[in-house]
């Protein structure tokens, strides 16, 4: 290469040195060598004598794509998969990655605001202690001091991750024990549907746990059952109703980790373990608070004051497109990628050095006597609109009647998928 160090026109089809390619691609020579070592951007030619790297000018766009993906924080392992795709498939993968980042950021934001509220409430309480002259009282006085027992939080945090902006009982509410002892009256039902031959959905309803899970892949049935089993009260220590908000949040995090591990173990014998997994939407009840654990596109709804609110946010490709305005809800119903999940509990790839399962969102919710909750898999929510859901939930006298009506609605809509649903009423303990 007599013209080493100078660009050769792309039209000529000749190669350029690593230094010139670094200038064209706006990447450093060090970065190019690193990407070569990782297999992300191989040189067109490596001199067998001196080891010099030469690149085809046609590789510039690929190099810039790698640089842009690194700029948004994408891991190199995922970049390697994307650069091997055609442009359309790469765009889908990039959208899915960013939607997951936004979902995880929203979950961290909710936790941040919970901590702000919780510590502000503690600061306010300390300022009322006689003889307390510390600065925490002053700080507590400038922030929210938490909701009173049974109060309703309709701030912006409650609306995030829901179908509306005024969802009651937002996740950032530390709250305190309710004045009147409350209990849960509930029922669960699963159904294979009219098309499928096996049922990979699972549901559980008990005085301490409400849960639905929608399994998929070879080990889907085992995954959904394992996820719910990991959440049962004996697994998370929920038999004592005196957990504080902070203790419950810690219990939720531990429980979410247990569910992730349980699913990985359950699908490990599968030929393709990372192709099997489950969604999970669950509510853990301590007698004074509900803790929500959610991942995937199963859903939880709250019926309060005659209004039905969706209180979970789907971790799906079509939901991310609805969020950014590129897809309407009507278009989402028939979108070819409507079944693509951005987050789920999945098995571990045998070749992967770390688990690939995603961590569920966790948050706390206030409850009021008279609340009715619906948890369901997409075998119900994808085929029955929310107006029909509301009508079925609001008119049923008891949870057992409600779950039967809901499964019936799924069948009337064709029953294309397995169905799982749980309905639970919050009642005064004396009534129960």
């Amino acid at each position: 290469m007599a013209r080493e160090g100078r660009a050769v026109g792309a039209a000529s089809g000749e190669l350029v040195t690593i230094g010139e390619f670094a200038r064209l691609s706006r990447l450093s020579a060090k970065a190019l060598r690193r990407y070569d070592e990782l297999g992300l951007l191989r040189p067109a030619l490596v001199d067998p004598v001196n080891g010099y790297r030469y690149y085809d000018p046609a590789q510039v766009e690929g190099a810039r794509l790698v640089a842009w993906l690194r700029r948004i924080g994408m891991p190199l392992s995922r970049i390697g998969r994307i650069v091997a795709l055609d442009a359309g498939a790469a765009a889908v993968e990039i959208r899915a990655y960013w939607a997951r980042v936004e979902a995880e950021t929203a979950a961290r934001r909710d936790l941040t605001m919970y901590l702000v509220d919780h510590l502000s409430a503690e600061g306010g309480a300390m300022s009322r202690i006689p003889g307390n002259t510390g600065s925490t009282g002053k700080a507590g006085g400038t922030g929210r001091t938490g909701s009173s027992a049974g109060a309703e939080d309709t701030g912006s945090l409650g609306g995030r991750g829901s179908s509306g902006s005024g969802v009651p009982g937002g996740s950032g509410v530390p709250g305190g024990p309710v004045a009147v002892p409350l209990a849960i009256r509930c029922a669960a039902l699963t159904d294979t549907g009219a098309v499928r031959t096996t049922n990979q959905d699972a549901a559980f309803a008990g005085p301490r746990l409400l849960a639905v899970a929608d399994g998929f892949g070879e080990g889907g049935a085992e995954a959904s059952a394992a996820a719910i089993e990991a959440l049962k009260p004996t697994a998370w220590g929920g038999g004592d109703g005196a957990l504080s908000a902070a203790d419950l949040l810690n219990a939720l995090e531990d429980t979410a980790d247990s569910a992730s591990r349980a699913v990985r173990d359950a699908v490990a014998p599968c030929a393709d373990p990372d192709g099997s997994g489950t969604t999970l939407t669950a509510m853990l009840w301590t007698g004074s608070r509900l803790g929500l654990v959610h991942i995937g596109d199963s859903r939880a709804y709250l019926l309060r004051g005659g209004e039905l609110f969706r209180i979970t946010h789907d971790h799906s490709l079509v939901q991310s497109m609805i969020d950014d305005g590129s897809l309407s809800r009507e278009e989402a119903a028939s979108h070819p990628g409507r079944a693509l999940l951005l987050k789920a509990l999945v098995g571990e790839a045998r070749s992967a050095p770390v688990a690939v399962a995603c961590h569920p969102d966790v948050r706390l919710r206030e409850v009021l006597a008279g609340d009715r909750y619906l948890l369901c898999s997409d075998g119900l929510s994808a085929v029955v609109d929310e107006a029909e859901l509301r009508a079925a939930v609001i008119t049923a006298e008891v949870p057992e009647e409600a779950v039967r009506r809901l499964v019936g609605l799924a069948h009337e809509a064709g029953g294309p998928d397995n169905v799982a649903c749980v309905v639970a009423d919050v009642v005064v303990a004396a009534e129960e």
Side-chain angles (χ1 to χ4, degrees):
M1 290 273 180
R3 290 176 292 181
E4 180 176 336
R6 295 167 46 214
V8 181
S12 70
E14 296 188 40
L15 304 181
V16 298
T17 64
I18 188 173
E20 183 58 27
F21 189 75
R23 186 189 68 78
L24 292 172
S25 64
R26 297 179 182 271
L27 289 170
S28 68
K30 180 178 179 181
L32 289 172
R33 286 190 289 269
R34 175 64 172 159
Y35 295 158
D36 178 16
E37 293 168 0
L38 295 173
L40 296 179
L41 189 64
R42 296 290 194 189
L45 174 69
V46 177
D47 191 301
V49 177
N50 55 33
Y52 288 164
R53 294 172 172 87
Y54 298 94
Y55 293 81
D56 189 326
Q59 293 179 276
V60 168
E61 285 304 312
R64 288 174 178 169
L65 176 60
V66 172
W68 290 332
L69 294 176
R70 285 299 291 155
R71 195 170 298 170
I72 66 173
M74 185 178 288
L76 290 171
S77 59
R78 188 158 188 166
I79 293 175
R81 296 196 297 271
I82 288 178
V83 297
L85 301 174
D86 61 50
V92 170
E93 282 291 316
I94 294 169
R95 178 188 292 279
Y97 166 76
W98 192 249
R100 178 176 167 183
V101 169
E102 289 184 325
E104 291 174 347
T105 301
R108 289 196 295 269
R109 181 206 60 197
D110 285 350
L111 177 57
T112 299
M113 295 312 298
Y114 162 77
L115 293 172
V116 170
D117 283 349
H118 180 65
L119 294 174
S120 296
E122 281 196 349
M126 291 181 67
S127 69
R128 292 190 293 271
I129 299 174
N132 182 4
T133 58
S135 61
T136 54
K138 191 172 186 179
T142 61
R144 283 175 53 191
T145 57
S147 302
S148 59
E152 188 174 296
D153 175 22
T154 56
S156 60
L157 279 176
R160 179 67 176 99
S162 66
S163 59
S165 60
V167 179
S171 59
V173 181
V178 293
V180 178
L182 301 176
I184 295 290
R185 181 185 296 152
C186 54
L189 187 61
T190 66
D191 188 85
T192 304
V195 176
R196 301 291 178 88
T197 58
T198 59
N199 191 355
Q200 293 187 312
D201 282 9
F204 181 86
R208 297 291 181 183
L209 173 66
L210 314 169
V212 296
D214 182 356
F216 55 85
E218 175 190 352
E222 293 80 4
S224 59
I228 291 180
E229 190 65 30
L231 267 64
K232 289 185 176 179
T234 53
W236 64 278
D240 180 4
L243 284 178
S244 68
D247 288 339
L248 178 56
L249 195 64
N250 288 338
L252 290 175
E253 290 283 352
D254 293 343
T255 301
D257 289 340
S258 297
S260 297
R261 290 193 299 271
V263 169
R264 292 199 298 272
D265 292 343
V267 303
C270 297
D272 182 22
D274 59 341
S276 295
T278 185
T279 69
L280 177 64
T281 300
M283 304 192 84
L284 286 69
W285 171 247
T286 69
S288 60
R289 297 177 180 88
L290 274 172
L292 176 67
V293 177
H294 170 69
I295 188 167
D297 62 355
S298 295
R299 292 180 176 179
Y301 296 87
L302 166 64
L303 179 69
R304 179 181 287 178
E307 296 294 327
L308 187 69
F309 303 93
R310 177 149 62 100
I311 59 175
T312 54
H313 198 68
D314 293 350
H315 299 135
S316 65
L317 175 64
V318 295
Q319 183 64 61
S320 72
M321 296 173 73
I322 292 171
D323 292 343
D324 66 21
S326 60
L327 196 69
S328 70
R329 293 188 181 277
E330 292 73 24
E331 293 169 330
S334 59
H335 192 278
R338 60 188 179 278
L340 179 60
L341 295 176
L342 302 181
K343 293 178 67 176
L345 300 178
V346 297
E348 181 177 355
R350 299 188 189 281
S351 60
V354 295
V356 296
C358 298
H359 195 280
D361 297 341
V362 298
R363 59 191 65 182
L364 304 182
R365 295 198 59 82
E366 282 190 299
V367 295
L368 295 176
D371 286 348
R372 174 169 280 185
Y373 287 90
L374 164 63
L375 281 64
C376 65
S377 64
D378 70 339
L380 178 65
S381 61
V383 297
V384 179
D385 65 37
E386 289 190 6
E388 290 183 283
L389 291 180
R390 176 185 176 278
V393 172
I394 201 170
T395 57
E397 289 290 332
V398 294
E400 290 81 1
E401 179 186 353
V403 295
R404 288 194 298 270
R405 288 190 182 183
L406 292 166
V407 169
L409 287 174
H411 272 273
E412 290 174 11
D417 198 357
N418 303 151
V419 185
C421 58
V422 170
V423 173
D425 291 342
V426 180
V427 300
V428 176
E431 296 176 359
E432 178 62 18

